[in-house]
Structure formats: structure tokens, C-alpha cells
């Protein structure tokens, strides 16, 4: 009966049996228990270290194909690429929409890469479910509770970005909206917080990664591209993330960053991405981890 | 044709004729032009100073009736009261939902007060349109672009709260989503920003009010209850808001704050609210303004 | 014996009788007691509203004379002007030093205005004591404890600016260093805090003014020039400060702001300063206060 | 002649030949040039990775001896320990002062560890120069320009902590005050910035480390103890610092953290410190670095 009530947004609810607050939450790690892995195809978030890579926005068939091919060759596990883009201004490029989503998924399939894309509203969920392996909730939507409730009713992995000025507790409680609906496949993503510091787009808060890992059993990945906004800082921050216990990275890669329609300054070239992957391996080994196994090459990828 | 495209979220769009960015935006004040009033019943945001008052959340018929009666007697212009509450935790009181909305509207009608309530998702809009005079977008939804697009297609006043860490430019660009859809009835609301300062719930940023008034023709109101989180600070901050050019206030009033189901520490008692209204008049006069005319008492209010 | 120990910086000390922490501090207001005035010549901080005005930095005899004359005519009570300027870069203009201090004091004397200037290190105190009526501690030195200890041993009024990211508690505890040394003539000055907000130089935190007034018996003034960094915002923020209970203002005024050697964008012209003084009176009256009586014209001023 | 003027604080100065601003500063790294090492005894900041360890404050002969012995055995290079403590409240423990300094230095000598201690005002410099190998400027004094000028005239290494809300540019410009005085032995130290995030004492900003390393030739170390305030976060943040290119760490270690007179919650036990040193080696190797050679054991250390 509780679950029925849960489906009615705003309905008065009694506190769950485990009590109120994050201390009692479903995201909470029991003392000594490990991170619970979230599986996407053959890949495990919370197992081997997972690398998500791709452009900020899907711009063309050629761009997404070049990117997918390059990041697959360098060892990425998932392909990212925005189709519906949340933009501060209504007059800025809003993404290609559904055609972009189709291009993303085709490129992913050709290269054996599961795909992740941002979902901005409940109405987009059915379309996303048909095509996308992981649904991303953007930082600006971290407390879009109706979106969270809707995704909590799904049984598809959700990557939940931390809000621009969300505390770790608020982030875990946002995850709780998903878990409370029965969707246990939640991946957290730290992407930098808004501070006074003017030299970076956001301030990457790696202590929040360590903190979230201590308190919760959810896997945590790091997006150093949005967090810094500067290509030069992406590699050092990626290595730092790996060293402090993150379960993966989410990176922007573009075949020609200077021509990117959005956020080009933070995108890695394919060459820099390959360099990062090479540097990542020994750091992971140093902390007793390793890169997750590559997704199995598909027939399409082999012939592509 | 542009307006058709605007209805398709995510569709690629060319820049509007007036150019990109807020400098070119519809929210922009032309040099020397005044604030464009937004009318709600007989009340004008941007004309006389407007006071919105009521509880954080509608809790019972008695509570909303007592509050409405008290704030009307003291001179408030609109009645507020949350029916659907966005809450950080899924296990906290989420508001009474539709029954709460009905109680709010009945109390408003009895006392001749137009009502304002928060809308959290596009699916709630039809219900809200039947009942509510002003639709509020909460701080956590300031960049919920699909909600903004949906409200931009309506022709009902929208009060847009500033996000917890939104810049003035981002706030005006969020308003632009509403204006771009053709809804010109937009009221801005400053409600404090998130800073390091631990003694207040948020830091009230009155320079953002002055700044928004300088750049834009939209009316701007101030919510000192959420901005401070402390009853003692609400009166001084309200007077400061009036002195620096705000067009109105949005205040939490509760007949028994200590028993409030949410945010009791920041709610004024009816007696304190009356004191505030008394102190407000001379400050407004000092800056050449006055309280807006009270809403005309309705038949219902007279017999109630 | 305690007071002897207090003179030895760093000496281990037992907690004072009143207990540790700001709750027990000498800056604390006893329930119901008023602000304790700090007297400077015939002027009372904490009595009538006090206006301090003058240039960011003393630049020349002509500049400070023009400014002093203009601000005196418009009703200012004290003359400010930096002689030793704390600058972020060692290669920026550092102020005229001692010659600047002499020019400031001569202009003050000619116009019957007590003067305030910033002291940057204990070694400058003797020179300052000869010339200056109020010693200012800048925001960057709010926790320069050896400077505070040294000033605590003086018996000259000190204006203590809030640090760029100091909490109200830290600000009051910095004042406690002065009070604990026996110097009871402490004036607090809010000058904006550092936040993410990019449109202003700092974010003026008027709730901290109301908060400091509630907790402490010290007078509190507001510096809207540094807080905003924009001339256009200085008047509205000054009126807001007056409305919320501040005891005075500290303003930058320059005869030709566009030629100022530092911070010209935030300096008022003499004409704008006069406008501000005119607008201030009714706002003060509205909150039951009035401008402090002008300093008595001195013989020098009358013949000047 | 310029250098003479530089000795007179506040004297008007012409811009240096290389132009104004950090872009022209002495801290700037020429394209392609390496970090310039700062030597302390046989240790090189900017060469092998350097670990500074010790208690927040020197509390007793036994405490500092136990700590020095433990950190030396685990491989630390320098001994830290506050003798003069900057404290927010004048009523809090202010450090043992000169006796504490003596205990620190004796312990360092016994164990062959150079020592670092904080200098709070120019008047303390002579005492410090007699005893201390590296002079530390605390975060609250980062813009205490008279202290910086005085230290710029010394020829002893200075560790300059980043201010609580200082930008990277302001931090480098504070270093410029030291370099401009002729003291080229400057080590930067990131210790966390003040943000809204309530779960940590400060937010460790590792992107500032990478950023400072890119722009400047100065060595940069990281203090994860103050940055996080939580013992549990110190090890992951230390590994992250090592991975992203920091030149060393500054850590709080206390033999019995629960009894520490200050900041016990963030101090490592000797056992945890040893664990950290063990985990650090492979991470450093992974990024092509190694721990600096231990300071040569002194006769005193061998017999201790």
C-alpha cells in the first residue's frame, strides 16, 4: 500500500520503517559492506573502473562516429553524448533532439559501447528507455523531484549528477528518491560545485567523492570536464579521482574541440584521451584497482 | 514559424532577431523605460508594493483559515501556501497535495485574496490553472527548462524564484524561457543564495534585486523568510528590501509557528506580521512608494 | 594578572570568568540593553546615523581637498581616505603613505571632519595615533591577531571590517580581541562577502548587520562601495542598510571617479553623494532615526 | 634603487619592467621550464615528494617527542608543530609560545627532521630565524602584506598557505610579495577553501594545485588535514594530491588525537600515518615520482 501512495506525488506519507533522514536511507552503506555494483551490459559500476567518454553534444553523424571509434579504441566503456541539452539561455543551441539520440545509439551499437544520455523531463523517459542504457539526471535537475520519482519507477540505471551547490546529504537524499521508488541502479556523479573561485568553471570536490563512498554503497564517478572547464586540468583531476577511490570517470572528448558547438574548452582530443587512459592504468593499480573489462566487441563494431 | 519551433523542446533553433544573450533578451529594460506591471486581479506587481503572505505549507482547514483572516486584516494582497512541497528527503512531509490546494483557494476566496502556489511539474499545470492566480516556480526548479517551457505557453502570471546559486544573468535567462514562449507575466523573486555563512539559512542578496531592477523591466519581490530562516531577521530584511526598490514581499506567516510542519523557525506570527506591515508603510513612503491597494473585499469575504 | 598575560601574545591563558566563546564575550548584548555608543569628537556611532565619506586612496592635495569640501557640504561626518593601501599585487599603486596621511588630516581639519584611515601593521600605530581619529582594520586583516592585540591596547576607536569570508561569529570574536585588550571603542563594518555571484565585487550581507546588532552591543556600519563595486548599486544598498538598522555608512566619493587611481567604478561623484544624503533622511526618519548632528565647524573650516 | 623603495612599505612604486599583474610576475613559469626546487637541508621541495608531519600544536615534551619519533620512523621529511597558534577566539588555547617552539626544535634535532612553524607577525621573525627551517604563513595571513614584505627580505624558505577564499591569482600575487623582496624560496600550500559544503571543514581544491603548477614554477604542497577536518578523508585526499602533481603533503599527526588540544578530529594516529606513507609510494611511482630521500639521520636521532 505504501508503494501505491508513493506513486501519488504529494500524497501525505508516513515515515518508512527505517526512520527518517539519510542515516536511515536506502543509500546507506552498512558498516563493512562493499559498494553494490550497478551493471550495464557486461560493465559493472563499482567493480572495475569505468570510463564514460564522448562529446558534450551530438552534432553530426560524422562527429559522433569519429568520437565513438576513438574512445572505443582507447578503452572507454560507455559512450556519452547530449541529444537534449539543458542550456542557460533559450537562444543557445539546445541539442539535436531525437535525431541526435538516434545517431548516438547507432554509433554506440557499431562500436559495442552502451550509451548514456541526459533525460530532462518525465515525458522523455519512454523514448529514452527504447534507446539508452543509462539515463543521466543533470546537475540542474538533481532536485527535480517529479523527474526523480518518475525515474524511481523505472528499472534502468540512472546516473545522478550532484547539484551545483548541493551538499553530500542532499545528493544522497536525491538518490533516495530513486531508491525509494524501487530503482536500485543508481550511480552518483560529482561534477564540481559552484564557489567563488574564478579560474575554473566549477570547483571539483573530491572530498565529496570520498565522503559519499564512506556513507553510501552507491558507485561514484567523477566528471572532471564540467568540474574544471579546462582541458589542461582534466588529466590531473582524473588521476586524482582515481587515486581517491572514485569508481569511474565521465569525460568529454571531441574530434575537433575548437569547433565544438558547446563546451569545447573542456573537451579532450582523442589523442589526449588516449594519453589519459594510459596514465590511468598505473594509478588504478597503485590503489588496488583496474580498468573494467572492455565491452565485448559486437559484430557491428568488428565490421565497422 | 519561430514560435512553432519553440514548442518543440530540444529542436535546433536559430538565434532570435534581437541577438543572443540576456543583453538582447525580452526581459531587458529599454533605457529609461519603467517596470512593466503584472496584474493579478486588481493588484499590480510593479505598481503599488505587494505583500504575499501565508504558511509554508497548508496543513489544515483551520490553519489556512486563521492565517488568511489574519494576513487579510493586516493588509496582505495575496495568499500563499504550499500544497505540493518540494522536500530534500522523500521521507519528509510532502504537502497535502490537491486537498491542500482546495483549502488554500477556498480560504483565499473567502477573504478576497488571490492565491499563489508552487507548481513542480508540467503535469500539475492544468490543475493549477483551474485554481491558482499566480504559479510559483521554486528555487530548485529555476533551471527546470521543460517546466519553464510549459509555463511559457500559458497566459497566467508566474513567480520565478532565483536558484540557490544562480547568477542574476542565469535568473534573467530563466525568465527568458517564459517570455520567449509568449508569457509576459513574469515576476522575479529573490530568496537568498547559498554561501559559506552558517548563521542564516541562505544569504539574502539585495544587490541582486537592485541589479535585476536596473537590467530588466520585470517586477522583483523578495522572500526574506527563506532567505534568512530566522523570524528575528525577517522584519529588518523586509524593510531593507522595500528601501532598495523591491516591488513586494513574500512572507511566511503561521498562526502557531512552533507547531508548523515545516520551516516554523522562519514564520512570523500574525502579530509580528501586523507589526511588519505597520513599519513598512513609512519606509515605502520614504522611497516614494506605497502599499498597493488592498484587493477588493469579495462577497464571500464579507460574509465570512 | 590576567590582563598582564593578555599582553604577551601566545601566552597560555585560562578561559575568562565569563566562559569561552562569543556567547560569553564582551561584545555580547545583554537582553534588552541598547547599542553602546562609540564617540569620535562630537559624533556618536550608535547614536545618530553616521556617514563616513572620502576617496578610496588619497591621491593629491587637490583631490582630497575637493572631496572633503564636497562631502562636508553634503553632510558627511567623517572623512576617509587610504594612505597605506593593501593591494593584491605588489606592483599596484600602494598609496601615498605618510604624505597622503598628512594631506588627509589637513583636509579633515580644514573642514571640521574627524578622519579615519587604515592601519596595516602594529609598527604603523604610533604614526596613526598622532593623526587619525578612527583606526580602520581592513577585511584582509580581520584575523591578523597580532594587529588586533596591539590595537586592543590602545584607547582609540577602531573600525573593524568583516573579513571576505568571515562568519558573524568570527567577526564578533575578532572584535573580542580588541575588547579583551581593554579597548571598548569598537565599530563593526560590513563590506560584503565573497560568493559565487559574478555581477558584484562582493555580496552585501545585510542580514549579518541585523544579526550582529541582535547579538552584540557594538555599532555596525555598512560599506556599500566595496560590497557592490558598482556606483549604480551604492544608493539602493545604502538605503537598505539604513532601513535594516545599520548605524552608519562608509562610502567612496571621488571628484572625478573615472580618473581614480583605485576602485573608480564604485566611487560616487559629489553630486551623487548629495543625492544619497537627501534620500537617506526620510528612510532614517521612517525607521525612527536621524542623521547624526554634523561635526561642529572648526575655525579652520570656517576660514577655509 | 627600486629595491630600496621596496623596503619602505607603502612607498609609491613604478611598475616593474616586466609589467603588472601575475602574467608578468616572478612566480611565473616560463613555457616548458620545470618547477624550481626549494632546498631545506638535504630535502628538495619540487624534487622528490616531501612529507611534513606533526601535531597541530605543540602541547608537551612527551607529545612532540612521541610524534617526531613516529613520523620519522614512517618516513616523514619535516616536523611541523604550532607554537604560536592563530585562534578565532582570544579565549581559546593560543599555543605554548616560545617554550613550545623550543620543544619542537629539540624534537626535530633529535630525529634529524628540519622543522616548520607558523610566524604570525614581523616581530616574531628573529626568534623564528634562530630556530626554524621553514617559516609558515597561515591562511588568515595570506594577505598580511606587511608580514609578507618582512619575510621577502629574509633568505629563509617560506611556506605560504592559500587564504580561505583566495583565488589562485591572489595566491600567486601574495607569493609575488615574497619574491619581489628577493626571497626566492617560496613553497605554496593548498589547505582548502571555504564553501557552502557543511560536511567538511573546508573544501580541498586540487584543481588549484594543478592550476598553480601550470602557471608557476613554485613547488606546491597540500594540507588535507585542515582541508577536510576529518581523519577518514585524509588518506584518500593525500593520494589524490599525489596523483594530481602536488610536490608534497603537510599532515597533522598526534599520538592520541582524542586528547589533542586543537583539531583532534583531523589528526592521524601514528599507525594511520604509517599506512598513508605505505599507500603513497605506489601512487607516486604511478605518476613517475618518488618520495624524497629521508633527511640524513643525525647522531642525535641514531642514539634516540
Amino acid at each position: 500500500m505504501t508503494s501505491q501512495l508513493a506513486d501519488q506525488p504529494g500524497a501525505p506519507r508516513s515515515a518508512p520503517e527505517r526512520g527518517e533522514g539519510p542515516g536511515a536511507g536506502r543509500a546507506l552503506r552498512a558498516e563493512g559492506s562493499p559498494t553494490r555494483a550497478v551493471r550495464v551490459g557486461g560493465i559493472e559500476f563499482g567493480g572495475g573502473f569505468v570510463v564514460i567518454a564522448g562529446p558534450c553534444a551530438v552534432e553530426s553523424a560524422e562527429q559522433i562516429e569519429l568520437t565513438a571509434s576513438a574512445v572505443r579504441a582507447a578503452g572507454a566503456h560507455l559512450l556519452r553524448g547530449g541529444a537534449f541539452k539543458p542550456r542557460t539561455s533559450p537562444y543557445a543551441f539546445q541539442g539535436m533532439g531525437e535525431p541526435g539520440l538516434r545517431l548516438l545509439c547507432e554509433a554506440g551499437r557499431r562500436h559495442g559501447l552502451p550509451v548514456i544520455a541526459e533525460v530532462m523531463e518525465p515525458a522523455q523517459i519512454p523514448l529514452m528507455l527504447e534507446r539508452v542504457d543509462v539515463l543521466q539526471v543533470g546537475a540542474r535537475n538533481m532536485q527535480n523531484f517529479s523527474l526523480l520519482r518518475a525515474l524511481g519507477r523505472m528499472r534502468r540505471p540512472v546516473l545522478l549528477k550532484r547539484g551545483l551547490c548541493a551538499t553530500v546529504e542532499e545528493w544522497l537524499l536525491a538518490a533516495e528518491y530513486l531508491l525509494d521508488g524501487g530503482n536500485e541502479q543508481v550511480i552518483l556523479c560529482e561534477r564540481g560545485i559552484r564557489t567563488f573561485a574564478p579560474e575554473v568553471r566549477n570547483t571539483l570536490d573530491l572530498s565529496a567523492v570520498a565522503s559519499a563512498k564512506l556513507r553510501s554503497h552507491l558507485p561514484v564517478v567523477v566528471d572532471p570536464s564540467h568540474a574544471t572547464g579546462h582541458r589542461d586540468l582534466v588529466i590531473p583531476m582524473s588521476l586524482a579521482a582515481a587515486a581517491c577511490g572514485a569508481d569511474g570517470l565521465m569525460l568529454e572528448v571531441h574530434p575537433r574541440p575548437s569547433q565544438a558547438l558547446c563546451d569545447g574548452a573542456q573537451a579532450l582530443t582523442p589523442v589526449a584521451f588516449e594519453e589519459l587512459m594510459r596514465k590511468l592504468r598505473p594509478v588504478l593499480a597503485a590503489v588496488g584497482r583496474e580498468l573494467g573489462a572492455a565491452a565485448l566487441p559486437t559484430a557491428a563494431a568488428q565490421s565497422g
Side-chain angles (χ1 to χ4, degrees), chain A residues 201 225 228-232 234 252 257-258 260 262-268:
Chain A
R201 184 169 176 179
S225 305
T228 62
H230 291 288
R231 196 172 300 116
D232 286 349
V234 170
E252 293 197 357
S258 63
C262 74
D263 293 346
Q266 71 200 31
L268 296 175

Side-chain angles (χ1 to χ4, degrees), chain A residues 2-300:
Chain A
T2 298
S3 63
Q4 281 184 315
L5 275 174
D7 286 356
Q8 300 170 17
R13 333 181 9 145
S14 46
E17 282 168 45
R18 301 179 64 194
E20 273 203 15
R26 291 176 173 79
L28 248 229
R29 177 197 288 283
E31 188 77 29
S33 78
T35 296
R36 287 193 216 151
V38 173
R39 284 183 185 74
V40 180
I43 293 149
E44 272 195 3
F45 285 87
F49 194 83
V50 176
V51 177
I52 306 167
C56 175
V58 179
E59 298 168 6
S60 70
E62 189 216 2
Q63 172 239 27
I64 191 67
E65 168 58 26
L66 283 176
T67 310
S69 163
V71 303
R72 179 64 160 93
H77 302 90
L78 280 91
L79 181 66
R80 56 154 290 159
F84 301 97
K85 298 296 302 173
R87 298 305 296 272
T88 300
S89 166
Y91 311 133
F93 173 59
Q94 309 278 313
M96 291 181 70
E98 192 170 344
L101 197 63
R102 198 166 44 234
L103 293 177
L104 174 73
C105 297
E106 288 166 3
R109 218 169 20 243
R110 270 198 301 279
H111 296 281
L113 296 166
V115 299
I116 174 171
E118 178 164 354
V119 56
M120 288 175 64
E121 53 180 319
Q124 290 171 342
I125 294 177
L127 173 66
M128 291 285 174
L129 286 181
E130 282 174 36
R131 303 257 175 89
V132 169
D133 301 283
V134 183
L135 301 166
Q136 175 181 327
V137 176
R140 284 166 184 74
N141 277 326
M142 189 200 87
Q143 293 190 316
N144 181 336
F145 300 119
S146 53
L147 180 61
L148 297 178
R149 287 255 186 239
L151 291 170
R153 287 189 287 267
M154 305 300 127
R155 297 296 175 265
R156 186 70 52 91
V158 174
L159 181 141
L160 177 64
K161 288 204 156 186
R162 182 183 180 192
L164 279 73
C165 59
T167 65
V168 171
E169 181 165 323
E170 288 168 343
W171 191 21
L172 293 179
L173 284 169
E176 205 71 13
Y177 271 88
L178 297 163
L179 297 165
D180 186 46
N183 188 346
E184 302 201 338
Q185 298 172 285
V186 179
I187 304 152
L188 299 173
C189 179
E190 156 67 20
R191 44 77 73 208
I193 55 173
R194 192 165 269 192
T195 70
F196 67 84
E199 284 103 353
V200 279
R201 184 169 176 179
N202 295 285
T203 298
L204 181 62
D205 179 8
L206 289 178
S207 66
V209 174
S211 207
K213 294 282 300 176
L214 278 169
R215 290 170 63 178
S216 159
H217 61 73
L218 302 173
V220 183
V221 303
V222 171
D223 173 349
S225 305
H226 279 90
T228 62
H230 291 288
R231 196 172 300 116
D232 286 349
L233 299 175
V234 170
I235 293 184
M237 289 307 101
S238 295
L239 301 181
C244 79
D247 295 300
L249 292 170
M250 184 161 187
L251 294 155
E252 293 197 357
V253 178
H254 194 285
R256 288 177 296 273
S258 63
Q259 295 166 34
L261 289 186
C262 74
D263 293 346
Q266 71 200 31
L268 296 175
T269 59
V271 169
F273 177 68
E274 208 192 333
E275 178 193 344
L276 166 56
M277 294 299 283
R278 203 168 53 235
K279 289 183 168 174
L280 206 50
R281 284 182 182 87
V283 173
L284 288 168
V287 294
R289 297 191 72 157
E290 54 185 357
L291 273 180
L296 296 179
T298 60

